[in-house]
Amino acid sequence: GDGGGAASQEAKRAKLAQCPKGHALKTYAVPDYGFGRAGTCDGCTAKVATGELVMDCRPCNWYLCSACFQTAPPPDAGETSTEEMFEAIWQRYAAGRDRIGMEEIFRHTMETNAGDAPPQSWYTVSQYAQICADLGTTPKEGIRRQALLHWYTRPGGGSISSDFDILFRS
């Protein structure tokens, strides 16, 4: 090699940053597939844990684990956009659905407030109804992605980056 090493590394990284159909891969948090089920890396077939960050193509449902995509920036490199952080948080609870319900929003509350979570007596059907009313929905409808995003962006709402750090970087 006559100094072409950096260029070939960049070319390899660019190729790795795409699925077999050529779509760009994006950072994605593996959703909870349910008891006894796990995601699988399409590169090495290793099982991937719920919440693990992978490089993913959503249209193709194709992803690479961090071992197969070692050239990806680490999650703490500060390169994850707020949109990507919210998407990872949403997918952690929605697992591909377009709404979350009482169980998911309560799990979100417990996991993002681990050191200061409400007492067990707070997690009631009437509390869920109050949360839904606050978000402009009903318990029957459930909480839409846009409603949770709106909660995060309004004054007094949550912090996407803080919750992302708690859920995926701690």
Side-chain angles (χ1 to χ4, degrees):
D2 50 288
S8 65
Q9 273 297 95
E10 199 51 43
K12 183 179 178 196
R13 179 186 166 79
K15 180 123 182 77
L16 273 173
Q18 297 177 342
C19 75
K21 291 187 179 174
H23 301 126
L25 299 182
K26 294 187 172 132
T27 305
Y28 178 72
V30 177
D32 184 346
Y33 290 107
F35 180 76
R37 296 180 62 210
T40 305
C41 172
D42 290 295
C44 67
T45 70
K47 297 284 183 222
V48 288
T50 297
E52 185 175 331
L53 290 180
V54 296
M55 294 305 288
D56 172 81
C57 174
R58 279 294 73 212
C60 296
N61 188 24
W62 190 93
Y63 56 81
L64 294 174
C65 68
S66 56
C68 287
F69 198 84
Q70 288 177 345
T71 54
D76 60 354
E79 294 182 27
T80 308
S81 72
T82 303
E83 189 177 285
E84 288 170 322
M85 288 182 202
F86 176 76
E87 189 58 30
I89 293 168
W90 176 255
Q91 288 304 327
R92 180 181 182 101
Y93 301 100
R97 296 185 313 269
D98 66 345
R99 295 164 194 268
I100 59 175
M102 183 169 77
E103 184 181 321
E104 294 83 13
I105 199 66
F106 285 171
R107 190 160 57 94
H108 172 272
T109 302
M110 284 187 261
E111 291 177 355
T112 58
N113 297 284
D116 192 27
Q120 203 57 45
S121 58
W122 182 86
Y123 302 95
T124 64
V125 172
S126 62
Q127 181 63 48
Y128 176 62
Q130 192 175 328
I131 291 168
C132 288
D134 184 46
L135 296 176
T137 186
T138 66
K140 188 177 178 186
E141 287 177 47
I143 299 165
R144 295 179 319 283
R145 182 185 190 284
Q146 205 53 39
L148 188 62
L149 181 59
H150 181 262
W151 173 77
Y152 269 116
T153 56
R154 73 184 188 192
S159 166
I160 292 173
S161 58
S162 294
D163 284 359
F164 182 83
D165 286 346
I166 290 166
L167 295 170
F168 300 107
R169 293 182 177 158
S170 52

